[in-house]
Amino acid sequence: MQFKRLNNAIVTEKYSEESLRDQKASATIVHLGVGAFHRAHQAVYTNNANVLAAQTAEDIWSIIGVSLRSATVRDQLVPQDCFYNVVESDVSGSNRFLVSAIENVLVAPENPQAVLDAMCAEKTQIVSLTVTEKGYCHDVVSGDLNLQNLDIQHDLANLDSPKTAIGFIVAALKYRHDNALPAFTVLSCDNLPSNGKTLAKVVLQFAEKTHPALAAWIEQQAKFPNTMIDRIVPATTADDIDKFSQRYGYHDLAMVKTERFSQWVIEDNFVGERPAWQKVGVNIVNDVDAYENAKLRLLNGAHSSLAYIGYLTGLDFVHQVMENPELTRFLTHLMKVEIAPTIVAPQGLDLQQYCDDLLQRFSNPELHHRTYQIAMDGSQKVPQRLLHTVEYKLKNNQAFDGLSFAIAGWLRYTMGVDEAGAAIEVQDPRAEQLAEIYKQHANNSDELINAYLHVHSIFPESLQSYPAFKESLNYWVNLIQELGAKAALDKLLERVEAAVK
């Protein structure tokens, strides 16, 4: 085991963490999608709550992680007894700490029954998710379950061996219903508008297709709190692991890196018990909407915008984007002038200061967060991160050039070729559809933009009633293609900054 090579200080720390496990966990969280974000965010809060609980003889919680696709995370964590390090960094330096909240990792494709057994166990009170937007198998515009999704079709026909998070949740709740066990809380931790309500909708629609009585029971007995999660967690690289090994004297194949900042807001809407997260910095509130809108539109909207424009201008990392004066001016305008006025801030949040804080967080040179990583799955992200804001601007007759430019940058990215003529491997569930649209209409910009806007699983039909949006998108897509992203950005800055003067 890799951790046998720990130095004395870390051995002491590891044994201290193991003492938490000696106090048998009284309750369990099953987490679907045990990737880097979960390990740097929700698992850390649970670990911290356990540390406090151990001091006051309160309940200890364990997490059973589930990978819905590959065995990679299991093969990293299990040989280390599921211990791993989180490295937090900012411009002042970095620190690391050990996390022991995860008890085991299951790989769903290898043994779906083991996953269902964990979810159906009486002491499992929460099933949480970080499966990304596409893991909800829904139409991002309507919010409805996508019944054309092949994995959903499989799960509807084979509920005893599901593939999707939705299938596993319904299968586990069906077992609990049939065996007179209480339902559990289903806790979405993904960047979706009203993520709890969205998850409840697709779960109920799935259940209705299989057992209508089950759907009624789930609606009455299960809870789906809305949440807002905020922490920047880049993918861990082999170089990160090597640097960690050199600094601390042992290999941790499951380590994750992140920024110091972390936030979690949860709607107070649970079936049963929950960890004492409120004691370790989690905000438990009656309404998450205001926090969610600020984060989705400002942080996530800006993140996607800088990713596409940054990638097109040849920048690999977010901190490199922030070192570019023109791109920083673009982001500052986008956030402070176009997006912030669309948000009703939660009490105590100064939106202009929030924008400044986000710009500083994006500038963190220690994270090495790739623009390509953020650019993935744009068809699932752009609607809630950018298009909802555009609709607000259109309804209120407000300027939206920066937003339109960002969306044009995404469409240019999906064309699959960069400005040097090299192929872009567009990782997106609708990559083929968008590429085919470009192939068919590349020589006629009006037809091209019209075809994009008729993909109603991305662009709401309501946008069709605003010719100004189509005209603006057409203009910026053409300009980016004609001049390149850098020169087109200069034209945008001239326009928006002249309008502000």
Side-chain angles (χ1 to χ4, degrees):
M1 186 177 78
Q2 301 272 4
F3 271 70
K4 287 181 178 176
R5 296 192 288 116
L6 300 178
N7 61 40
N8 290 336
I10 309 304
V11 167
T12 302
E13 180 182 7
K14 178 172 181 282
Y15 288 158
S16 175
E17 293 288 338
E18 281 181 333
S19 69
L20 293 176
R21 292 186 182 173
D22 292 340
Q23 302 178 46
K24 282 199 170 182
S26 60
T28 299
I29 300 168
V30 174
H31 184 84
L32 308 179
V34 61
F37 187 85
H38 169 70
R39 285 178 282 144
H41 191 269
Q42 302 97 48
V44 171
Y45 283 105
T46 302
N47 193 79
N48 292 345
N50 282 345
V51 171
L52 283 182
Q55 297 168 2
T56 56
E58 295 180 51
D59 289 345
I60 300 292
W61 287 69
S62 66
I63 298 171
I64 296 177
V66 176
S67 174
L68 293 169
R69 293 183 293 178
S70 76
T72 301
V73 174
R74 189 269 314 276
D75 293 347
Q76 292 170 340
L77 273 171
V78 170
Q80 301 181 174
D81 293 339
C82 293
F83 289 88
Y84 65 95
N85 285 274
V86 174
V87 178
E88 297 178 336
S89 303
D90 61 16
V91 292
S92 66
S94 66
N95 65 285
R96 68 106 186 97
F97 54 89
L98 206 61
V99 174
S100 66
I102 297 176
E103 175 186 328
N104 194 13
V105 178
L106 306 174
V107 181
E110 291 181 1
N111 192 346
Q113 187 58 52
V115 176
L116 290 173
D117 288 346
M119 296 172 73
C120 296
E122 284 192 63
K123 73 177 191 175
T124 294
Q125 299 203 39
I126 297 172
V127 172
S128 54
L129 303 84
T130 47
V131 294
T132 76
E133 293 88 343
K134 66 182 177 184
Y136 290 73
C137 304
H138 73 310
D139 182 297
V140 294
V141 174
S142 69
D144 289 328
L145 182 69
N146 179 9
L147 295 172
Q148 304 308 310
N149 182 291
L150 295 180
D151 288 338
I152 290 293
Q153 291 178 359
H154 169 276
D155 288 0
L156 286 168
N158 303 276
L159 195 55
D160 58 338
S161 57
K163 292 182 177 180
T164 69
I166 309 306
F168 274 106
I169 291 166
V170 174
L173 287 170
K174 180 179 184 301
Y175 177 90
R176 286 174 171 259
H177 168 267
D178 294 348
N179 290 274
L181 293 171
F184 45 65
T185 298
V186 192
L187 190 66
S188 169
C189 302
D190 284 296
N191 287 316
L192 296 168
S194 301
N195 54 10
K197 291 179 181 177
T198 298
L199 179 55
K201 183 176 184 178
V202 294
V203 164
L204 290 171
Q205 288 177 340
F206 186 106
E208 185 69 36
K209 286 288 182 183
T210 57
H211 301 88
L214 173 63
W217 181 82
I218 292 172
E219 188 169 21
Q220 293 172 0
Q221 300 296 323
K223 299 294 183 183
F224 298 81
N226 291 318
T227 72
M228 187 278 280
I229 49 94
D230 187 1
R231 195 168 216 193
I232 297 172
V233 184
T236 304
T237 66
D239 186 54
D240 294 324
I241 294 170
D242 287 343
K243 287 180 179 177
F244 181 93
S245 177
Q246 291 168 15
R247 181 170 182 179
Y248 295 108
Y250 67 99
H251 263 62
D252 179 356
L253 297 178
M255 64 155 289
V256 290
K257 62 179 183 179
T258 186
E259 61 179 337
R260 292 195 195 280
F261 179 89
S262 184
Q263 187 179 20
W264 195 7
V265 184
I266 308 175
E267 180 186 5
D268 192 2
N269 183 29
F270 286 75
V271 172
E273 299 299 316
R274 64 169 184 259
W277 287 320
Q278 74 279 1
K279 295 182 179 180
V280 291
V282 179
N283 293 335
I284 309 293
V285 301
N286 292 326
D287 189 351
V288 175
D289 287 352
Y291 297 92
E292 173 197 281
N293 285 335
K295 192 257 181 172
L296 270 174
R297 294 188 180 188
L298 282 170
L299 189 154
N300 297 122
H303 231 187
S304 287
S305 301
L306 71 83
Y308 296 116
I309 305 305
Y311 186 90
L312 291 173
T313 56
L315 300 175
D316 289 332
F317 298 103
V318 172
H319 70 273
Q320 292 175 332
V321 172
M322 300 307 299
E323 291 167 358
N324 181 289
E326 288 74 28
L327 283 164
T328 302
R329 284 161 56 198
F330 163 62
L331 284 173
T332 302
H333 166 84
L334 185 71
M335 296 166 71
K336 292 191 170 186
V337 178
E338 295 196 15
I339 300 177
T342 74
I343 297 167
V344 178
Q347 187 174 3
L349 179 65
D350 181 325
L351 287 176
Q352 294 298 308
Q353 183 60 51
Y354 183 54
C355 292
D356 289 337
D357 292 343
L358 288 175
L359 290 168
Q360 184 175 7
R361 289 168 63 192
F362 294 160
S363 300
N364 187 341
E366 301 298 322
L367 292 181
H368 288 84
H369 201 180
R370 290 190 176 274
T371 53
Y372 181 75
Q373 180 188 356
I374 302 167
M376 294 176 184
D377 301 330
S379 67
Q380 309 296 296
K381 297 175 179 177
V382 164
Q384 58 260 19
R385 296 185 178 194
L386 296 172
L387 293 179
H388 290 177
T389 314
V390 167
E391 283 197 273
Y392 179 98
K393 306 294 280 188
L394 289 165
K395 288 176 182 176
N396 290 278
N397 197 29
Q398 297 176 3
F400 58 95
D401 271 312
L403 289 158
S404 184
F405 185 82
I407 297 163
W410 168 61
L411 290 174
R412 171 63 186 84
Y413 170 86
T414 67
M415 293 174 188
V417 180
D418 69 18
E419 294 178 3
I424 300 172
E425 185 181 351
V426 179
Q427 295 196 40
D428 189 290
R430 298 200 173 273
E432 291 184 11
Q433 180 183 11
L434 294 169
E436 184 61 27
I437 288 173
Y438 176 65
K439 181 180 178 181
Q440 290 182 10
H441 304 288
N443 295 322
N444 188 314
S445 62
D446 286 337
E447 290 182 3
L448 177 64
I449 299 303
N450 193 54
Y452 283 140
L453 293 179
H454 276 82
V455 181
H456 294 314
S457 57
I458 301 174
F459 293 94
E461 289 187 59
S462 56
L463 286 176
Q464 302 295 324
S465 61
Y466 296 100
F469 178 60
K470 178 180 177 180
E471 292 169 7
S472 177
L473 201 56
N474 195 350
Y475 176 78
W476 291 118
V477 169
N478 278 333
L479 203 65
I480 293 172
Q481 286 187 281
E482 178 186 347
L483 302 180
K486 287 182 181 178
L489 177 61
D490 289 339
K491 296 290 185 184
L492 171 76
L493 291 173
E494 288 176 11
R495 175 182 292 198
V496 298
E497 289 172 356
V500 172
K501 290 180 181 178

